[in-house]
Amino acid sequence: MLDVYSTINSVSQNFSLPSAPPLPPLSSSPTVSRYELQKRRDWNTFGQYLRNHKPPLILSRCSGANILEFLKYLDQFGKTKVHNCNCPFFGDPHPPAPCNCPLKQAWGSLDALIGRLRAAFEENGGRTETNPFGARAVRLYLKEVRDTQAKARGIAYEKKKKRNIKQRISTNICD
């Protein structure tokens, strides 16, 4: 599975424009978390994508549709095999032979990317209610990608059920 971190890094090397509007300076602590570094790199790469878009896009006019376009653009750098429904290996988690199905970004990578960009948008002065990364269309797209990839691999995605506090306590006592 490809980490969007490495994809964003390779994508940003293909652009000749300077970096996007930078995030506010990081705290004065000597170590910066990997998450903060990824968030900054993702934000800068998204800014480059907006500037290189034909016609160039402005962040304040960016909508959920533009975010979907960006996510679909990133698919060309993906390394997760997603079988088409007419592929003989559709639904097989361990296909016995190679096929010509496309490589795409993994759902988990896209989901994490959107989370980082959503946080970066707000840290960069955007309001929560106008955050294009939190748009309904983006959430629905991510759900569709998750479900499609799960079906293509033959693995059902099931949301983890939360156990109530009493069950957790009794389980821990018995261990």
Side-chain angles (χ1 to χ4, degrees), residues 81-92 95-102 151-152:
K81 178 76 74 171
V82 180
H83 297 288
N84 294 320
C85 58
N86 56 358
C87 175
F89 306 129
F90 181 82
D92 187 349
C99 65
N100 293 327
C101 292
K151 286 179 188 172

Side-chain angles (χ1 to χ4, degrees), residues 36-90:
E36 290 297 326
L37 291 172
Q38 284 180 319
K39 183 169 56 174
R40 179 176 289 227
R41 184 175 290 117
D42 294 344
W43 182 252
N44 291 338
T45 301
F46 181 69
Q48 288 178 331
Y49 172 80
L50 293 179
R51 286 191 301 278
N52 288 329
H53 190 274
K54 300 296 182 207
L57 295 171
I58 300 169
L59 183 60
S60 62
R61 292 182 172 255
C62 201
S63 69
N66 300 120
I67 306 305
L68 296 181
E69 190 178 299
F70 176 65
L71 294 176
K72 290 173 184 174
Y73 161 77
L74 289 178
D75 267 343
Q76 67 183 312
F77 305 104
K79 294 187 179 173
T80 299
K81 178 76 74 171
V82 180
H83 297 288
N84 294 320
C85 58
N86 56 358
C87 175
F89 306 129
F90 181 82

Side-chain angles (χ1 to χ4, degrees), residues 137-149:
V138 174
R139 291 192 314 270
L140 291 174
Y141 176 76
L142 288 175
K143 183 181 183 310
E144 179 185 325
V145 168
R146 181 192 69 198
D147 294 345
T148 301
Q149 289 185 5

Side-chain angles (χ1 to χ4, degrees), residues 3 12 20-21 28 35 39 58 63 65 91 97 101 107 110 126 129 150 152 159 162:
D3 181 8
S12 63
S28 60
Y35 172 79
K39 183 169 56 174
I58 300 169
S63 69
C101 292
W107 165 76
L110 292 176
E129 53 276 0
K159 201 171 192 178
K162 294 182 182 179

